[in-house]
Amino acid sequence: MYDLYLDVTDEIRSALSKRVPVVALESTIIAHGMPYPQNVETALHTESIIRQAGGIPATIAILKGKIKVGLSADDIEYLGKKGLAVIKASRRDVPVLLAGREDGATTVSATMIGASMAGISVFVTGGIGGVHRGAESTMDISADLQELAHTRMAVVCAGPKSILDIGRTLEYLETMGIPVIGYQTNDLPAFYSRSSGFPVDYRADKPEDIAKIIKAQQACDYQSGLLVVNPIPERDASGLFDFEQCVQDAILECTRLGIHGKRITPFLLDKIKELSGGESLKANICLVYNNAVLGADIAKALCRL
């Protein structure tokens, strides 16, 4: 039944059948996370990093009504150039886009769905969505958290996006039973920042340790995810702008313009890029590359188990 809507490349099918490490990647970062051509350059280089580390990249998107697992360079160029004109696809959007044979750039939640359908266990992204600031009145909570609650996937990221309410995001993850594993850190990173001031649930110092946790989840038939948080390298985080002030200014502008829903995150990230003179974009790219290396190492360790 999946074959009606799932298109997995021969390379990825072969890799999965032979237990070659495969790492899933999202496509929202291409269409909505960065401007052209940096979005395309970043996506292609991230794939290259995973290959150099011994893994097979599986960038996921919805194209012409199919969940495509493994994009060509032309597919990535298409999404990058089309940009915001491509629908930002979360869980709620997937069946509608499939039925209408439309295109969609997959968020963390939709990418997890596609990766799980294909049989991929490790997914690399920049930062996850979570509980937005002011959610006690707006109820704005990312679908990423619910997806982690009921889709078995190890998600490697640089922590929750810094535009979020980090404390409430952690509380939500705890309520949903999602373990937060800090890679070589006891402190929860927050995207551009190496520390948010909040502790992680557990620390793991080697990719093999994380692979063993994934294996235990699988053996116990857990139908929920695992969040691996990997701090941005210190060399890329040091000397950054006053990020919190940029966030506050961007949120005020967002409120003034009445922007809400799925438009909030792309707007805020773009505004922060403007306010930081492009420094936030540089940091974003660096942390994605850093996560790609760790994701490939975890996938390799998992295959060895």
Side-chain angles (χ1 to χ4, degrees):
M1 191 67 175
Y2 279 176
D3 289 341
L4 286 172
Y5 300 110
L6 187 66
D7 179 6
V8 183
T9 66
D10 291 340
E11 179 189 31
I12 292 170
R13 285 188 187 276
S14 175
L16 291 169
S17 68
K18 295 176 181 177
R19 296 195 61 75
V20 173
V22 178
V23 178
L25 299 164
E26 64 160 286
S27 52
T28 296
I29 196 171
I30 304 171
H32 296 263
M34 298 179 187
Y36 180 84
Q38 288 100 327
N39 51 4
V40 172
E41 293 166 358
T42 300
L44 293 175
H45 190 59
T46 303
E47 288 198 342
S48 176
I49 287 171
I50 290 171
R51 289 190 185 279
Q52 290 170 15
I56 304 296
T59 303
I60 297 175
I62 298 173
L63 295 175
K64 295 181 174 62
K66 283 210 169 188
I67 299 173
K68 193 164 184 180
V69 180
L71 301 187
S72 68
D74 286 344
D75 292 332
I76 290 172
E77 181 77 14
Y78 167 75
L79 289 172
K81 281 186 173 179
K82 200 168 180 183
L84 297 177
V86 180
I87 293 171
K88 185 180 179 184
S90 187
R91 167 176 275 271
R92 69 173 183 183
D93 308 294
V94 172
V96 180
L97 297 178
L98 298 182
R101 298 186 178 182
E102 296 184 64
D103 298 332
T106 54
T107 61
V108 168
S109 63
T111 304
M112 287 175 68
I113 292 169
S116 179
M117 289 171 67
I120 300 170
S121 299
V122 179
F123 162 42
V124 163
T125 185
I128 63 160
V131 180
H132 278 264
R133 303 185 191 200
E136 63 274 15
S137 57
T138 65
M139 293 299 292
D140 192 347
I141 301 172
S142 171
D144 295 355
L145 301 186
Q146 273 295 312
E147 204 60 48
L148 277 161
H150 54 70
T151 297
R152 189 163 64 195
M153 185 70 50
V155 179
V156 180
C157 68
K161 293 186 176 74
S162 306
I163 58 176
L164 302 171
D165 185 320
I166 305 297
R168 285 189 169 95
T169 297
L170 271 179
E171 287 291 343
Y172 199 106
L173 288 166
E174 192 263 337
T175 299
M176 294 294 105
I178 302 155
V180 179
I181 312 296
Y183 181 64
Q184 298 181 350
T185 183
N186 296 310
D187 300 318
L188 179 76
F191 208 48
Y192 308 121
S193 305
R194 287 179 56 82
S195 176
S196 65
F198 292 92
V200 296
D201 296 326
Y202 298 98
R203 174 177 174 143
D205 288 324
K206 297 183 293 184
E208 291 78 10
D209 296 335
I210 298 169
K212 288 176 182 176
I213 298 170
I214 298 169
K215 187 70 174 178
Q217 273 196 330
Q218 294 174 344
C220 295
D221 199 29
Y222 263 50
Q223 297 303 312
S224 58
L226 170 73
L227 191 64
V228 180
V229 292
N230 184 32
I232 182 174
E234 192 165 0
R235 65 181 181 274
D236 300 314
S238 62
L240 284 180
F241 50 93
D242 183 352
F243 183 74
E244 182 57 29
Q245 187 58 55
C246 288
V247 170
Q248 294 292 348
D249 292 346
I251 289 173
L252 284 173
E253 181 72 0
C254 187
T255 302
R256 186 182 70 80
L257 295 174
I259 293 171
H260 60 277
K262 65 169 67 176
R263 294 174 56 214
I264 289 178
T265 297
F267 174 85
L268 289 177
L269 293 179
D270 187 61
K271 189 66 180 177
I272 291 165
K273 177 173 74 73
E274 175 191 324
L275 293 171
S276 68
E279 287 299 310
S280 65
L281 178 59
K282 293 178 187 176
N284 194 353
I285 291 170
C286 290
L287 65 85
V288 169
Y289 293 163
N290 189 49
N291 293 342
V293 174
L294 177 58
D297 287 345
I298 293 170
K300 286 188 297 183
L302 186 60
C303 285
R304 288 194 293 269
L305 291 178

